[in-house]
Amino acid sequence: MSGEEQSRLVLTSHPLQRLGAHALAALAETKDGPEEVDAAGFQSAMRQVILDAERASVRESKAPDGFWQKASLSFFPNSPMNHPGRRKGKTADGRAKTDADVREAVRSWLTIPAPSRWPAVGCVLCGREAVGFFGKRDVVLAESESYRNSTPRGHEGVALCWPCLCCFYALPYGCQLTGGSSVALHSLDEGFVRRTVRDQVRRNQRLALTGKESDRHSEVREVVALYALKHYSERITDGVELLVFNNNNRGQLLESHELQQPLAEWLRKTTRLSGRRRGFQALVMAHATKQLAGIVVLARNAFYTPTRVVTTGVNHLADCLMRRSKDYAGTRALADLLKSFVTEVMQMNEKDLTEIRATARKLGGLLNSATGRGPLRELRAHLRNSTQLRSWMTRHAVLWAGAPHEEFGDEPLMSTRLAVLLFDPSPDNPTWLHRDLLFVGVLEELARLGWRAKDDDEEKDDEVAVQMHEDDEKFMKEGEEGDLP
């Protein structure tokens, strides 16, 4: 293969190689994607990688300016950049090693092998001619812990061409570095990856130069993803993968967590658009605990249990209404945001949503006549119990049938379709979601009608709120029969 081919970046299916390719493109200071980087740009980017590695190699990991040295242990253990013996012993001509020898060893490590040493096999990632076999020292390997941190007996390593190998050398620039496990965001949406990696490269270049950690160094990994979405101005066209990995000699790790495209796009719009800002603030507040900030809990729910976003928001709405919160704009904005989550992320059928809203309006009209919180407390308490909720709905359906309703005429309180949505135990029917939406609709209608409860039973409200949160925790862990957690 020609020298030009060994200087041309190609995007493959390997997420970490792709991130490294985008990092090299950013180091080459091109506004285009990696495959548009020419040979001169590629060489310029690698000179920067070598320069930073040389500088870090003569630092100590615990020194004030040694963070880049420390971070290298998580990517290239036992490399000339950080090997414990890099300064010990003597050179081939018998003199004691100096910093110049350490730098020379780093340059040699990050230099393309001579063509006479190429193994005459194809690169496992792109198929081009490989320049050697490479293992743990150079590459964050496969998913299996037993394989990714060792090379099988009788096997010389992974065959890679020079550009693909250099993508792994540049990988640290595109990651959120901690000195331990690193965090990276990957997507098949090239625009998103290009923007996210470019921003990260700028921060890490300062880190490599000064040794000072970024202001965002301590952010929770899931929050890092939220910030990246917030700062991206285009529509997300694919899912976003959160990669957490560590290639050092202790505590090896490779985890992958994904945001599906609808959720990633919803989060991007919600964190960016001014029209959703008030609702998002309320949603963050709803997720706050005594131990963790709301943004941390929300980000973790988004990645691991997205359904909790709805449940947590619903509980907050109920607390606001029953405790007579005066933040009417915030509660309305949160209710609208939860509905957008249901339609945009969970892609609920519009006809079913209309059915739930209609019944919620009717229930809100019934509960509006109550002077105390009792009926609303009952509804909230019964949401997680099919038998109790069915009994409660039936009782109020009888009351509804016996009273005139000008706005709704002869319509029943709930239709057969709504009964299916709330109580059908089929595994493809998320009854928990339908019930939460019903409750949101009731709260919205009560707020619209200006309902205010008396301060008669605030202690009971606190007890119910605590019990409700405990029920939610149990429900989300175990699931109610017929409900999807």
Side-chain angles (χ1 to χ4, degrees):
M1 182 166 58
S2 67
E4 183 178 351
E5 280 291 282
Q6 290 289 8
S7 299
R8 183 171 61 84
L9 294 171
V10 173
L11 290 173
T12 71
S13 59
H14 195 301
L16 298 181
Q17 185 272 348
R18 289 166 52 81
L19 291 171
H22 279 281
L24 282 174
L27 290 171
E29 298 183 350
T30 177
K31 294 182 180 180
D32 300 315
E35 294 176 309
E36 303 303 318
V37 175
D38 59 18
F42 175 79
Q43 298 299 339
S44 173
M46 280 307 297
R47 280 195 296 272
Q48 185 63 56
V49 172
I50 294 171
L51 180 64
D52 290 336
E54 282 185 50
R55 184 186 298 113
S57 68
V58 293
R59 302 288 192 271
E60 295 299 331
S61 62
K62 294 183 180 180
D65 59 351
F67 186 79
W68 201 246
Q69 161 70 224
K70 180 181 179 181
S72 72
L73 292 164
S74 300
F75 291 85
F76 318 115
N78 301 324
S79 71
M81 182 178 177
N82 55 49
H83 194 284
R86 65 189 184 280
R87 293 178 174 177
K88 298 177 182 179
K90 297 182 178 181
T91 62
D93 56 5
R95 60 182 176 78
K97 288 183 179 180
T98 65
D99 284 355
D101 296 310
V102 175
R103 293 190 183 97
E104 177 57 35
V106 169
R107 283 194 294 273
S108 177
W109 167 51
L110 297 175
T111 299
I112 184 172
S116 60
R117 296 170 53 195
W118 296 0
V121 297
C123 172
V124 297
L125 297 182
C126 70
R128 294 178 296 181
E129 188 173 4
V131 298
F133 294 102
F134 303 91
K136 175 182 173 64
R137 186 189 72 169
D138 301 273
V139 181
V140 180
L141 296 174
E143 292 188 9
S144 167
E145 182 176 306
S146 60
Y147 171 67
R148 68 179 291 274
N149 291 289
S150 62
T151 302
R153 292 180 181 178
H155 197 291
E156 296 184 74
V158 178
L160 294 172
C161 66
W162 183 241
C164 284
L165 177 62
C166 289
C167 290
F168 288 100
Y169 289 150
L171 177 62
Y173 291 85
C175 301
Q176 178 84 1
L177 304 174
T178 68
S181 297
S182 296
V183 178
L185 292 175
H186 175 257
S187 175
L188 293 179
D189 184 325
E190 299 298 341
F192 174 74
V193 174
R194 183 164 58 246
R195 167 62 189 271
T196 303
V197 171
R198 185 183 296 128
D199 290 347
Q200 191 66 56
V201 167
R202 289 171 184 157
R203 289 191 289 271
N204 286 342
Q205 279 186 295
R206 292 193 293 270
L207 179 61
L209 184 63
T210 66
K212 293 182 179 179
E213 300 175 14
S214 166
D215 292 338
R216 293 171 58 181
H217 168 72
S218 62
E219 283 174 6
V220 176
R221 60 189 63 164
E222 297 84 2
V223 178
V224 171
L226 277 191
Y227 273 116
L229 290 168
K230 179 180 180 180
H231 290 96
Y232 187 58
S233 59
E234 305 295 327
R235 180 178 181 272
I236 294 286
T237 60
D238 211 293
V240 174
E241 187 178 15
L242 177 68
L243 299 167
V244 184
F245 60 94
N246 195 331
N247 194 43
N248 68 10
N249 292 323
R250 297 179 181 178
Q252 299 89 349
L253 174 73
L254 179 58
E255 295 179 356
S256 174
H257 311 284
E258 186 176 8
L259 288 177
Q260 297 295 326
Q261 185 275 333
L263 179 53
E265 174 61 11
W266 183 85
L267 287 169
R268 187 196 69 83
K269 289 195 297 186
T270 298
T271 53
R272 281 188 63 84
L273 299 182
S274 57
R276 293 189 174 186
R277 192 167 298 154
R278 187 66 190 86
F280 184 70
Q281 290 172 345
L283 187 62
V284 170
M285 187 184 303
H287 282 80
T289 69
K290 291 182 179 179
Q291 293 78 28
L292 293 171
I295 192 66
V296 174
V297 182
L298 173 59
R300 288 177 174 172
N301 280 346
F303 268 99
Y304 311 127
T305 51
T307 53
R308 285 179 181 255
V309 173
V310 176
T311 302
T312 304
V314 169
N315 284 334
H316 185 71
L317 283 175
D319 289 341
C320 287
L321 187 63
M322 301 214 317
R323 296 174 193 277
R324 303 204 310 172
S325 167
K326 294 182 179 180
D327 184 14
Y328 308 130
T331 54
R332 284 196 299 271
L334 177 55
D336 289 339
L337 194 63
L338 293 177
K339 287 186 289 187
S340 74
F341 185 94
V342 169
T343 55
E344 297 173 22
V345 177
M346 309 195 76
Q347 300 177 339
M348 183 174 173
N349 184 290
E350 186 62 35
K351 290 183 178 179
D352 291 343
L353 190 57
T354 300
E355 195 76 42
I356 292 172
R357 286 173 176 167
T359 300
R361 287 193 62 200
K362 298 170 187 176
L363 280 174
L366 275 177
L367 297 180
N368 185 50
S369 61
T371 57
R373 297 181 177 88
L376 187 60
R377 265 202 312 261
E378 278 189 301
L379 174 58
R380 188 181 184 190
H382 296 336
L383 284 176
R384 295 291 178 257
N385 187 298
S386 294
T387 302
Q388 292 178 4
L389 181 62
R390 187 183 295 111
S391 175
W392 189 92
M393 290 291 293
T394 301
R395 185 168 73 253
H396 283 80
V398 172
L399 295 174
W400 176 271
H405 304 281
E406 294 182 6
E407 183 179 355
F408 300 101
D410 296 330
E411 292 181 20
L413 178 65
M414 64 175 180
S415 64
T416 302
R417 178 57 188 164
L418 184 77
V420 171
L421 293 173
L422 296 181
F423 306 116
D424 179 17
S426 300
D428 59 346
N429 182 40
T431 55
W432 65 270
L433 172 63
H434 301 150
R435 296 172 193 172
D436 278 345
L437 288 175
L438 179 70
F439 194 55
V440 170
V442 170
L443 297 176
E444 276 191 301
E445 181 64 10
L446 288 173
R448 187 184 72 83
L449 295 171
W451 180 80
R452 296 289 179 269
K454 292 181 179 178
D455 291 330
D456 53 352
D457 279 330
E458 289 191 3
E459 249 184 64
K460 283 189 179 180
D461 288 336
D462 291 336
E463 293 174 6
V464 170
V466 170
Q467 184 60 50
M468 194 65 185
H469 286 301
E470 291 177 353
D471 290 346
D472 282 332
E473 289 296 319
K474 181 179 179 181
F475 177 76
M476 299 306 289
K477 288 179 180 179
E478 302 176 2
E480 184 182 31
E481 184 178 357
D483 294 351
L484 296 179

